[in-house]
Amino acid sequence: MAITPPGSAPAVGTAELLQDLYGGYAALRATAPVQRMTGPDGLPFWLVTRYRDVKELLADPRLALDKRHALPGNYRGLALPPALDANLLNMDPPDHTRIRRLVSQAFTPRRVERLRDGVRRTAEQLVDAIEPLGRTDLIATFAGPFPIAVICDLLGVPAGHRHDFRAWTDAVIAPDPARPEEARAAVGAMLEFFTQLVERKRAEPGDDLLSALIAARDEGEDRLAEDELTSLAFLILFAGYENTVHLIGNGVLALLDHPEQLDALRRDPSLVPAAVEELARFDGPAPLAIRRFPREDVVVAGVTVPAGETVLLALGAANRDPERFDRPDRLDLHRTDNAHLALGQGVHYCLGAPLARMETAIALETLLRRLPALALDVPRNELRRRPSLRARGLLALPVRY
């Protein structure tokens, strides 16, 4: 887990980043902004931490997402069957462009706005259930089930399967190294479920996104292959759950850690949209963008990154770069110049960004209105995060109100 040359490097490795993510990022930005490291899996990767470099590379077509551009033995990712692996996170144009064009119609700001009433009802119902308790684990009872319910409604998944979806997704996001069979079983269960769901929706289509995608698969000019269809449904569920639950959990904790900002938000709910952007910048759900593989040797900040090696762009480091943001380690809900990269950049910009923003805004507004005395219910140092550099989220958030 040590940093390797080139150049003199700070004593920061992946283990240290897990212990102090933003402190480690600051050290790397200052002394080794493009650095070859060794990951927990023993494989090398290049970590890029400065805002200007990360922003440029996010939109650089020389960096591919397709795993076929990886050097043999250089990358070991999540093992998915073909029916779940043919998704946008493994594709480059023109296939990426074709599939994104089909599904982007479901995530336009106008289409997302039509979901607002249903999303708000879901948030209110979840708070109805916990309000009488006086204390709860906000991840387990609100931040987790909330995006699952929204995504299941969007895809047309029956309500009875929501608990299964959350358990499967958690097993894949943060697999237990001692029990690798759990992640494999979750992948198998999701594959079986989505295959059967597509069959049911094809026989009896509804007014939902999955039915619309099936129509595009079967009738549209830009036809989806069957593996692309099931992979797309899997990605919408997976990404829609993971990023939103962590954004809500991290955001609530950041507000509780900064009572003056929390008070400002309570006094002026019109700050909620700006708060969502600042919370995404300050402690976003994805410290790293999806891995990339250079199609050719690429020079970044004077360092040559060889073709085929794994490149990780540190969104969390870029969003705390003092060369781009004034007092970046300070949470400021009144920040006006907030061109953060938490949702990506370029052709791979987060497809579900409008929905994630709306969900997070409604979650914050509902929690602060319904639970005005919200406070941590355990000492701050007892909170634990997922042991992952890819997903930054809390295992639990015990609160009282």
mmCIF file of all heavy atoms in Angstrom, residues 126-159:
data_model
loop_
_atom_site.group_PDB
_atom_site.id
_atom_site.type_symbol
_atom_site.label_atom_id
_atom_site.label_comp_id
_atom_site.label_asym_id
_atom_site.label_seq_id
_atom_site.Cartn_x
_atom_site.Cartn_y
_atom_site.Cartn_z
ATOM 1 N N LEU A 126 -41.447 8.102 5.187
ATOM 2 C CA LEU A 126 -40.328 7.574 5.967
ATOM 3 C C LEU A 126 -40.174 8.325 7.281
ATOM 4 O O LEU A 126 -39.913 7.710 8.332
ATOM 5 C CB LEU A 126 -39.036 7.659 5.148
ATOM 6 C CG LEU A 126 -38.937 6.683 3.973
ATOM 7 C CD1 LEU A 126 -37.737 7.031 3.087
ATOM 8 C CD2 LEU A 126 -38.816 5.248 4.465
ATOM 9 N N VAL A 127 -40.352 9.639 7.264
ATOM 10 C CA VAL A 127 -40.261 10.399 8.510
ATOM 11 C C VAL A 127 -41.463 10.113 9.405
ATOM 12 O O VAL A 127 -41.331 10.073 10.638
ATOM 13 C CB VAL A 127 -40.116 11.906 8.219
ATOM 14 C CG1 VAL A 127 -40.103 12.708 9.522
ATOM 15 C CG2 VAL A 127 -38.827 12.178 7.443
ATOM 16 N N ASP A 128 -42.632 9.876 8.814
ATOM 17 C CA ASP A 128 -43.796 9.472 9.616
ATOM 18 C C ASP A 128 -43.461 8.257 10.475
ATOM 19 O O ASP A 128 -43.878 8.166 11.640
ATOM 20 C CB ASP A 128 -44.979 9.120 8.709
ATOM 21 C CG ASP A 128 -45.645 10.332 8.092
ATOM 22 O OD1 ASP A 128 -45.420 11.456 8.583
ATOM 23 O OD2 ASP A 128 -46.395 10.154 7.109
ATOM 24 N N ALA A 129 -42.719 7.324 9.909
ATOM 25 C CA ALA A 129 -42.418 6.080 10.612
ATOM 26 C C ALA A 129 -41.413 6.266 11.738
ATOM 27 O O ALA A 129 -41.475 5.575 12.757
ATOM 28 C CB ALA A 129 -41.902 5.038 9.623
ATOM 29 N N ILE A 130 -40.474 7.207 11.581
ATOM 30 C CA ILE A 130 -39.423 7.348 12.596
ATOM 31 C C ILE A 130 -39.693 8.470 13.586
ATOM 32 O O ILE A 130 -39.127 8.466 14.685
ATOM 33 C CB ILE A 130 -38.041 7.561 11.938
ATOM 34 C CG1 ILE A 130 -37.992 8.889 11.159
ATOM 35 C CG2 ILE A 130 -37.688 6.401 11.035
ATOM 36 C CD1 ILE A 130 -36.615 9.219 10.591
ATOM 37 N N GLU A 131 -40.542 9.423 13.227
ATOM 38 C CA GLU A 131 -40.757 10.594 14.082
ATOM 39 C C GLU A 131 -41.147 10.221 15.513
ATOM 40 O O GLU A 131 -40.619 10.804 16.473
ATOM 41 C CB GLU A 131 -41.809 11.507 13.459
ATOM 42 C CG GLU A 131 -41.942 12.842 14.171
ATOM 43 C CD GLU A 131 -42.917 13.766 13.459
ATOM 44 O OE1 GLU A 131 -43.856 13.245 12.812
ATOM 45 O OE2 GLU A 131 -42.737 14.987 13.549
ATOM 46 N N PRO A 132 -42.054 9.253 15.735
ATOM 47 C CA PRO A 132 -42.441 8.945 17.119
ATOM 48 C C PRO A 132 -41.344 8.287 17.943
ATOM 49 O O PRO A 132 -41.451 8.222 19.174
ATOM 50 C CB PRO A 132 -43.636 7.988 16.952
ATOM 51 C CG PRO A 132 -44.080 8.139 15.547
ATOM 52 C CD PRO A 132 -42.854 8.489 14.774
ATOM 53 N N LEU A 133 -40.284 7.793 17.294
ATOM 54 C CA LEU A 133 -39.271 7.013 18.008
ATOM 55 C C LEU A 133 -38.334 7.872 18.839
ATOM 56 O O LEU A 133 -37.792 7.407 19.838
ATOM 57 C CB LEU A 133 -38.458 6.188 17.000
ATOM 58 C CG LEU A 133 -39.250 5.251 16.074
ATOM 59 C CD1 LEU A 133 -38.298 4.552 15.105
ATOM 60 C CD2 LEU A 133 -40.038 4.238 16.878
ATOM 61 N N GLY A 134 -38.093 9.104 18.409
ATOM 62 C CA GLY A 134 -37.201 9.989 19.148
ATOM 63 C C GLY A 134 -35.732 9.798 18.826
ATOM 64 O O GLY A 134 -34.923 10.691 19.056
ATOM 65 N N ARG A 135 -35.358 8.647 18.324
ATOM 66 C CA ARG A 135 -33.976 8.377 17.910
ATOM 67 C C ARG A 135 -33.996 7.253 16.890
ATOM 68 O O ARG A 135 -34.903 6.410 16.874
ATOM 69 C CB ARG A 135 -33.087 8.007 19.098
ATOM 70 C CG ARG A 135 -33.627 6.878 19.954
ATOM 71 C CD ARG A 135 -32.663 6.422 21.051
ATOM 72 N NE ARG A 135 -31.763 7.390 21.556
ATOM 73 C CZ ARG A 135 -31.958 8.116 22.676
ATOM 74 N NH1 ARG A 135 -33.088 7.962 23.357
ATOM 75 N NH2 ARG A 135 -31.041 8.962 23.091
ATOM 76 N N THR A 136 -32.999 7.251 15.998
ATOM 77 C CA THR A 136 -32.946 6.239 14.949
ATOM 78 C C THR A 136 -31.565 6.233 14.318
ATOM 79 O O THR A 136 -30.763 7.161 14.537
ATOM 80 C CB THR A 136 -34.013 6.517 13.866
ATOM 81 O OG1 THR A 136 -34.142 5.388 13.007
ATOM 82 C CG2 THR A 136 -33.641 7.732 13.018
ATOM 83 N N ASP A 137 -31.284 5.188 13.557
ATOM 84 C CA ASP A 137 -30.125 5.179 12.655
ATOM 85 C C ASP A 137 -30.630 5.733 11.330
ATOM 86 O O ASP A 137 -31.363 5.067 10.605
ATOM 87 C CB ASP A 137 -29.582 3.760 12.487
ATOM 88 C CG ASP A 137 -28.526 3.663 11.389
ATOM 89 O OD1 ASP A 137 -28.108 4.712 10.848
ATOM 90 O OD2 ASP A 137 -28.131 2.526 11.056
ATOM 91 N N LEU A 138 -30.230 6.940 11.004
ATOM 92 C CA LEU A 138 -30.782 7.636 9.846
ATOM 93 C C LEU A 138 -30.409 6.958 8.526
ATOM 94 O O LEU A 138 -31.135 7.097 7.541
ATOM 95 C CB LEU A 138 -30.315 9.096 9.842
ATOM 96 C CG LEU A 138 -31.224 10.096 9.125
ATOM 97 C CD1 LEU A 138 -32.573 10.182 9.818
ATOM 98 C CD2 LEU A 138 -30.569 11.468 9.070
ATOM 99 N N ILE A 139 -29.295 6.233 8.497
ATOM 100 C CA ILE A 139 -28.938 5.509 7.274
ATOM 101 C C ILE A 139 -29.916 4.358 7.057
ATOM 102 O O ILE A 139 -30.431 4.158 5.951
ATOM 103 C CB ILE A 139 -27.495 4.976 7.340
ATOM 104 C CG1 ILE A 139 -26.493 6.127 7.541
ATOM 105 C CG2 ILE A 139 -27.157 4.192 6.065
ATOM 106 C CD1 ILE A 139 -26.466 7.148 6.439
ATOM 107 N N ALA A 140 -30.181 3.589 8.112
ATOM 108 C CA ALA A 140 -31.024 2.398 7.991
ATOM 109 C C ALA A 140 -32.482 2.736 7.745
ATOM 110 O O ALA A 140 -33.172 2.024 7.015
ATOM 111 C CB ALA A 140 -30.894 1.537 9.246
ATOM 112 N N THR A 141 -32.968 3.833 8.331
ATOM 113 C CA THR A 141 -34.411 4.100 8.293
ATOM 114 C C THR A 141 -34.820 5.217 7.343
ATOM 115 O O THR A 141 -36.004 5.355 7.036
ATOM 116 C CB THR A 141 -34.927 4.455 9.701
ATOM 117 O OG1 THR A 141 -34.254 5.636 10.170
ATOM 118 C CG2 THR A 141 -34.684 3.308 10.673
ATOM 119 N N PHE A 142 -33.848 5.991 6.849
ATOM 120 C CA PHE A 142 -34.222 7.080 5.933
ATOM 121 C C PHE A 142 -33.305 7.154 4.716
ATOM 122 O O PHE A 142 -33.754 6.943 3.587
ATOM 123 C CB PHE A 142 -34.235 8.428 6.659
ATOM 124 C CG PHE A 142 -34.707 9.557 5.773
ATOM 125 C CD1 PHE A 142 -36.058 9.828 5.666
ATOM 126 C CD2 PHE A 142 -33.810 10.325 5.038
ATOM 127 C CE1 PHE A 142 -36.515 10.855 4.835
ATOM 128 C CE2 PHE A 142 -34.248 11.338 4.203
ATOM 129 C CZ PHE A 142 -35.611 11.605 4.105
ATOM 130 N N ALA A 143 -32.029 7.434 4.917
ATOM 131 C CA ALA A 143 -31.130 7.671 3.777
ATOM 132 C C ALA A 143 -30.994 6.444 2.893
ATOM 133 O O ALA A 143 -30.821 6.565 1.676
ATOM 134 C CB ALA A 143 -29.744 8.109 4.278
ATOM 135 N N GLY A 144 -31.077 5.232 3.459
ATOM 136 C CA GLY A 144 -31.001 4.023 2.662
ATOM 137 C C GLY A 144 -32.280 3.709 1.912
ATOM 138 O O GLY A 144 -32.279 3.578 0.689
ATOM 139 N N PRO A 145 -33.409 3.554 2.610
ATOM 140 C CA PRO A 145 -34.657 3.192 1.908
ATOM 141 C C PRO A 145 -35.188 4.276 0.986
ATOM 142 O O PRO A 145 -35.926 3.966 0.043
ATOM 143 C CB PRO A 145 -35.638 2.911 3.055
ATOM 144 C CG PRO A 145 -35.049 3.518 4.269
ATOM 145 C CD PRO A 145 -33.563 3.515 4.072
ATOM 146 N N PHE A 146 -34.852 5.542 1.203
ATOM 147 C CA PHE A 146 -35.393 6.635 0.400
ATOM 148 C C PHE A 146 -35.008 6.504 -1.075
ATOM 149 O O PHE A 146 -35.882 6.409 -1.950
ATOM 150 C CB PHE A 146 -34.939 7.972 0.999
ATOM 151 C CG PHE A 146 -35.425 9.186 0.267
ATOM 152 C CD1 PHE A 146 -36.762 9.331 -0.089
ATOM 153 C CD2 PHE A 146 -34.550 10.220 -0.051
ATOM 154 C CE1 PHE A 146 -37.215 10.462 -0.758
ATOM 155 C CE2 PHE A 146 -34.986 11.357 -0.714
ATOM 156 C CZ PHE A 146 -36.327 11.476 -1.070
ATOM 157 N N PRO A 147 -33.704 6.462 -1.444
ATOM 158 C CA PRO A 147 -33.386 6.352 -2.880
ATOM 159 C C PRO A 147 -33.785 5.013 -3.473
ATOM 160 O O PRO A 147 -34.106 4.945 -4.671
ATOM 161 C CB PRO A 147 -31.870 6.563 -2.928
ATOM 162 C CG PRO A 147 -31.385 6.255 -1.560
ATOM 163 C CD PRO A 147 -32.486 6.633 -0.632
ATOM 164 N N ILE A 148 -33.779 3.946 -2.682
ATOM 165 C CA ILE A 148 -34.233 2.657 -3.197
ATOM 166 C C ILE A 148 -35.687 2.752 -3.638
ATOM 167 O O ILE A 148 -36.074 2.281 -4.713
ATOM 168 C CB ILE A 148 -34.063 1.553 -2.140
ATOM 169 C CG1 ILE A 148 -32.607 1.117 -2.072
ATOM 170 C CG2 ILE A 148 -34.947 0.353 -2.434
ATOM 171 C CD1 ILE A 148 -32.135 0.281 -3.246
ATOM 172 N N ALA A 149 -36.527 3.386 -2.804
ATOM 173 C CA ALA A 149 -37.949 3.530 -3.152
ATOM 174 C C ALA A 149 -38.116 4.354 -4.418
ATOM 175 O O ALA A 149 -38.932 4.022 -5.294
ATOM 176 C CB ALA A 149 -38.701 4.178 -1.996
ATOM 177 N N VAL A 150 -37.346 5.430 -4.553
ATOM 178 C CA VAL A 150 -37.463 6.302 -5.722
ATOM 179 C C VAL A 150 -37.038 5.553 -6.992
ATOM 180 O O VAL A 150 -37.732 5.602 -8.022
ATOM 181 C CB VAL A 150 -36.610 7.577 -5.528
ATOM 182 C CG1 VAL A 150 -36.581 8.406 -6.813
ATOM 183 C CG2 VAL A 150 -37.156 8.414 -4.370
ATOM 184 N N ILE A 151 -35.903 4.864 -6.946
ATOM 185 C CA ILE A 151 -35.415 4.149 -8.121
ATOM 186 C C ILE A 151 -36.348 3.001 -8.486
ATOM 187 O O ILE A 151 -36.609 2.738 -9.668
ATOM 188 C CB ILE A 151 -33.985 3.628 -7.886
ATOM 189 C CG1 ILE A 151 -33.008 4.809 -7.773
ATOM 190 C CG2 ILE A 151 -33.542 2.702 -8.997
ATOM 191 C CD1 ILE A 151 -32.896 5.651 -9.031
ATOM 192 N N CYS A 152 -36.875 2.305 -7.479
ATOM 193 C CA CYS A 152 -37.807 1.212 -7.776
ATOM 194 C C CYS A 152 -39.074 1.740 -8.442
ATOM 195 O O CYS A 152 -39.603 1.124 -9.369
ATOM 196 C CB CYS A 152 -38.147 0.452 -6.497
ATOM 197 S SG CYS A 152 -36.812 -0.631 -5.918
ATOM 198 N N ASP A 153 -39.563 2.895 -7.980
ATOM 199 C CA ASP A 153 -40.726 3.506 -8.638
ATOM 200 C C ASP A 153 -40.384 3.877 -10.076
ATOM 201 O O ASP A 153 -41.191 3.677 -10.997
ATOM 202 C CB ASP A 153 -41.174 4.751 -7.865
ATOM 203 C CG ASP A 153 -41.910 4.399 -6.580
ATOM 204 O OD1 ASP A 153 -42.342 3.239 -6.445
ATOM 205 O OD2 ASP A 153 -42.044 5.287 -5.724
ATOM 206 N N LEU A 154 -39.199 4.421 -10.288
ATOM 207 C CA LEU A 154 -38.780 4.843 -11.619
ATOM 208 C C LEU A 154 -38.705 3.659 -12.575
ATOM 209 O O LEU A 154 -39.153 3.733 -13.726
ATOM 210 C CB LEU A 154 -37.424 5.547 -11.531
ATOM 211 C CG LEU A 154 -36.837 6.118 -12.821
ATOM 212 C CD1 LEU A 154 -37.661 7.297 -13.312
ATOM 213 C CD2 LEU A 154 -35.387 6.541 -12.606
ATOM 214 N N LEU A 155 -38.154 2.540 -12.086
ATOM 215 C CA LEU A 155 -37.985 1.369 -12.935
ATOM 216 C C LEU A 155 -39.242 0.508 -13.016
ATOM 217 O O LEU A 155 -39.340 -0.368 -13.875
ATOM 218 C CB LEU A 155 -36.827 0.506 -12.421
ATOM 219 C CG LEU A 155 -35.410 1.048 -12.633
ATOM 220 C CD1 LEU A 155 -34.398 0.159 -11.929
ATOM 221 C CD2 LEU A 155 -35.081 1.155 -14.115
ATOM 222 N N GLY A 156 -40.180 0.727 -12.094
ATOM 223 C CA GLY A 156 -41.369 -0.108 -12.070
ATOM 224 C C GLY A 156 -41.156 -1.418 -11.345
ATOM 225 O O GLY A 156 -41.752 -2.446 -11.684
ATOM 226 N N VAL A 157 -40.300 -1.404 -10.305
ATOM 227 C CA VAL A 157 -40.029 -2.589 -9.501
ATOM 228 C C VAL A 157 -41.072 -2.692 -8.395
ATOM 229 O O VAL A 157 -41.316 -1.707 -7.690
ATOM 230 C CB VAL A 157 -38.617 -2.519 -8.883
ATOM 231 C CG1 VAL A 157 -38.374 -3.702 -7.950
ATOM 232 C CG2 VAL A 157 -37.568 -2.483 -9.979
ATOM 233 N N PRO A 158 -41.697 -3.835 -8.202
ATOM 234 C CA PRO A 158 -42.694 -3.985 -7.136
ATOM 235 C C PRO A 158 -42.117 -3.635 -5.765
ATOM 236 O O PRO A 158 -40.950 -3.928 -5.463
ATOM 237 C CB PRO A 158 -43.071 -5.472 -7.207
ATOM 238 C CG PRO A 158 -42.750 -5.875 -8.609
ATOM 239 C CD PRO A 158 -41.558 -5.063 -9.009
ATOM 240 N N ALA A 159 -42.933 -3.003 -4.921
ATOM 241 C CA ALA A 159 -42.471 -2.519 -3.618
ATOM 242 C C ALA A 159 -41.924 -3.638 -2.749
ATOM 243 O O ALA A 159 -41.012 -3.432 -1.946
ATOM 244 C CB ALA A 159 -43.621 -1.806 -2.901
#
